[in-house]
Amino acid sequence: KEAQSTEHEMLRARVHERYAGRDRAWMNDRLRKALALGPDEPLRVLIPTSRHTTYVQHSAEDLAGAIRQRGHEARVLRERNETDSMSSVAYLRAIESFEPDLIIAINYTRRAFASFCPDGLPVVAWVQDAMLHLFEPTTADAQGELDVLLGHLDRVLFASREDGGMGYDASRARNLPVLASATKFHARPCNRSLEERLACEVMFASHHAEAPDALHRRKLKENASTPQMCELLEVLRPRVERSLREPGRLPRAETLGRITTEVLESFAADHLDGAQPTREDAAKLHNTYTMQLADRLLRHESLSWASEICERRGWRLHLYGRGWDAHPTLSRHAKGELPHDETLRAAYRSARASLSLTAHTPVHQRVMECALSGGLPIVRRHAGIVDECLGWTQHELAREATPAASRLGTREHGFRIADHPSALSTIALYQRIGLRSPFPWTEEPGQEDARAFWWIGEGSLARRRRDAKRHANTHNPAALLGDPALVSFSDRASLERLLERSIEDDAWRAATSAMIARRVREGFTIGTLLDNMTEVMLEPPTDD
């Protein structure tokens, strides 16, 4: 340990000296030269990851491949074997020998590397999951002027401390989904014997085989030392379950967030002497329990439908991933794990339909990988999907359009729906899936044509324009799926109709898969991440 400490200090001193003076102007000049000269002046990117992860280490390799494809250099840093663990010395050795221009870390920010990372070395955090450490003020405080956040970025991260947020710099961030590798996943034929072995009518790939009851029991066990937390979870669970059983439409993530906050505040008032929980407390509970439970409930209900339908119709259902062989009702469909390589691509191609089941957004890498491989993704529809399309349409109108009308009394601005294709398609989407209009249409005297306008409040309009740069359209389900109603289901009957069409209509399946794949290649590959990263890094500092 003493020798390691000595080497750490020696390496740290040399590395910090080498990066001294590398400020934003230096980095921007380096970035512009690399973009202009390419292979003659390549960027060097260090990507730390771990062998002890599942998808993340594959994502790191895919990222490195995309960087190399653009003519730059990338080095993936991880343990040498399954028994090793990374030390600060290993990171420092890599930084000294490789001299990276930036670090791209999946789910981790500068705070994770604070003991050795010099200020002049930018840390780009690619956020794929709502990790608890991201919602700690000390993590936000550790961010440097060169650092960047990309990925799934909760609003609470950018709210001020006074408003219960974390206070991250929104000008150094871009909201993006997890993206796919168009190099690893493509529609060229696979090995025939592999395709024949994996052939089925319906597939689902996920390591989240844990049933809702099992998840709840595990959370209680994890919090066994805090009886009040266990009691809180017992109160919250039935509220989440009821919200998913309500007729008409399933709740979106924001609705589930409100349920979390309501239960937490009520519980605190009754059991914690009225102490008010913070916004950070609510965000942690929402991400670590509410959304995980909602995901499991939605997923396992959908799979029970698929199991019954497939057995009745004589179709094969393959469940890939860890734990399905131990599932109480679905184990007979378990087919083991698939490596994130050609085998997974062949599975997507060989299934007539690939299920995507989540309470979150369908803008997910498995949907993208499936379509790129020539497979057909179909998704479980819920209110959040449709409302996300609405939200992104409002972003687009606020960012690109000029209001055609105004209401002085309510301080709203109207955009003529017929003039904007995205607005027309969003309104039509609500109609096609049988939901009532997203707007409380009221015709005021003298405004009989009010229904022709999409009204946005002045405050919301200003906020959306202010946040326009941070929000890319890649979170919009319609941007990925085209018409979400075409490839989504909401109940057992609509799932069976969609599966039947996927299995029996070859032309429709091929055309729909190709349409989604084209959209993935245009805006949902890892290249999109690199483009957004470059834009953020080259933006001048704000006055905030």
Side-chain angles (χ1 to χ4, degrees), residues 404-418:
S406 295
R407 288 171 167 167
L408 296 179
T410 57
R411 302 183 72 85
E412 292 177 296
H413 299 281
F415 299 83
R416 192 176 296 278
I417 293 172

Side-chain angles (χ1 to χ4, degrees), residues 124-363:
V124 177
W126 182 10
V127 180
Q128 297 185 357
D129 301 290
M131 307 288 281
L132 285 180
H133 61 260
L134 298 171
F135 295 87
E136 297 175 1
T138 51
T139 304
D141 292 341
Q143 290 291 93
E145 69 160 359
L146 301 180
D147 299 336
V148 172
L149 283 177
L150 303 171
H152 285 292
L153 306 179
D154 194 293
R155 291 178 185 173
V156 72
L157 296 176
F158 304 100
S160 66
R161 297 284 170 81
E162 293 76 15
D163 293 331
M166 299 298 103
Y168 285 88
D169 182 359
S171 70
R172 302 288 290 175
R174 192 64 59 84
N175 214 338
L176 294 166
V178 180
L179 301 163
S181 169
T183 302
K184 179 180 288 185
F185 296 97
H186 51 82
R188 293 189 292 276
C190 297
N191 177 277
R192 180 172 294 180
S193 63
L194 187 60
E195 289 193 356
E196 289 175 351
R197 175 168 66 84
L198 298 170
C200 63
E201 282 70 34
V202 187
M203 69 162 279
F204 176 68
S206 172
H207 292 309
H208 294 160
E210 186 180 44
D213 283 346
L215 178 139
H216 183 71
R217 290 194 301 269
R218 176 169 60 82
K219 293 294 183 180
L220 292 177
K221 185 176 180 180
E222 291 172 357
N223 291 280
S225 61
T226 313
Q228 287 180 325
M229 176 58 74
C230 293
E231 189 175 350
L232 172 61
L233 297 183
E234 295 284 19
V235 174
L236 180 56
R237 178 184 178 179
R239 284 289 307 274
V240 176
E241 291 176 336
R242 283 200 301 274
S243 72
L244 293 173
R245 288 197 299 266
E246 289 177 0
R249 59 189 233 160
L250 295 169
R252 59 181 302 184
E254 287 187 4
T255 306
L256 292 167
R258 285 196 294 272
I259 290 172
T260 305
T261 301
E262 288 171 7
V263 171
L264 182 58
E265 290 178 347
S266 175
F267 187 86
D270 293 340
H271 297 82
L272 302 178
D273 299 324
Q276 285 297 306
T278 65
R279 192 169 175 179
E280 180 185 355
D281 294 330
K284 285 182 178 179
L285 181 60
H286 177 65
N287 290 317
T288 61
Y289 182 78
T290 303
M291 288 306 296
Q292 289 186 25
L293 179 62
D295 245 2
R296 299 298 195 280
L297 290 165
L298 214 65
R299 178 176 299 124
H300 290 262
E301 179 184 58
S302 301
L303 288 176
S304 71
W305 296 343
S307 176
E308 184 277 324
I309 292 167
C310 287
E311 292 188 351
R312 176 164 44 81
R313 302 289 297 265
W315 298 334
R316 294 161 294 180
L317 171 62
H318 286 186
L319 301 182
Y320 298 110
R322 287 194 303 271
W324 292 109
D325 56 340
H327 192 278
T329 60
L330 298 170
S331 58
R332 61 191 178 280
H333 304 296
K335 298 297 179 182
E337 295 185 51
L338 292 176
H340 197 264
D341 57 17
E342 184 73 358
T343 310
L344 178 58
R345 188 175 79 86
Y348 286 137
R349 283 182 57 82
S350 305
R352 298 296 296 177
S354 176
L355 300 175
S356 176
L357 311 170
T358 178
H360 294 78
T361 176
V363 183

Side-chain angles (χ1 to χ4, degrees), residues 24-33 35 148 171-172 174 531-541:
R24 184 175 289 189
W26 188 96
M27 187 63 218
N28 284 1
D29 182 62
R30 172 77 180 95
L31 195 57
R32 289 191 180 95
K33 284 181 179 178
L35 293 174
V148 172
S171 70
R172 302 288 290 175
R174 192 64 59 84
D531 292 339
N532 278 270
M533 178 189 76
T534 302
E535 289 176 11
V536 173
M537 295 186 77
L538 289 175
E539 284 179 3

Side-chain angles (χ1 to χ4, degrees), residues 488-508:
S488 66
F489 66 94
S490 58
D491 54 25
R492 188 192 304 262
S494 57
L495 171 60
E496 184 164 0
R497 288 194 298 270
L498 188 51
L499 289 178
E500 183 176 35
R501 189 176 191 186
S502 305
I503 293 165
E504 297 181 358
D505 191 336
D506 289 341
W508 177 81

Side-chain angles (χ1 to χ4, degrees), residues 174-176 392 399 468-476 528 532:
R174 192 64 59 84
N175 214 338
L176 294 166
W392 287 104
R399 183 171 57 242
K469 285 186 177 180
R470 181 160 57 86
H471 292 285
N473 195 42
T474 45
H475 267 298
N476 185 353
T528 301
N532 278 270

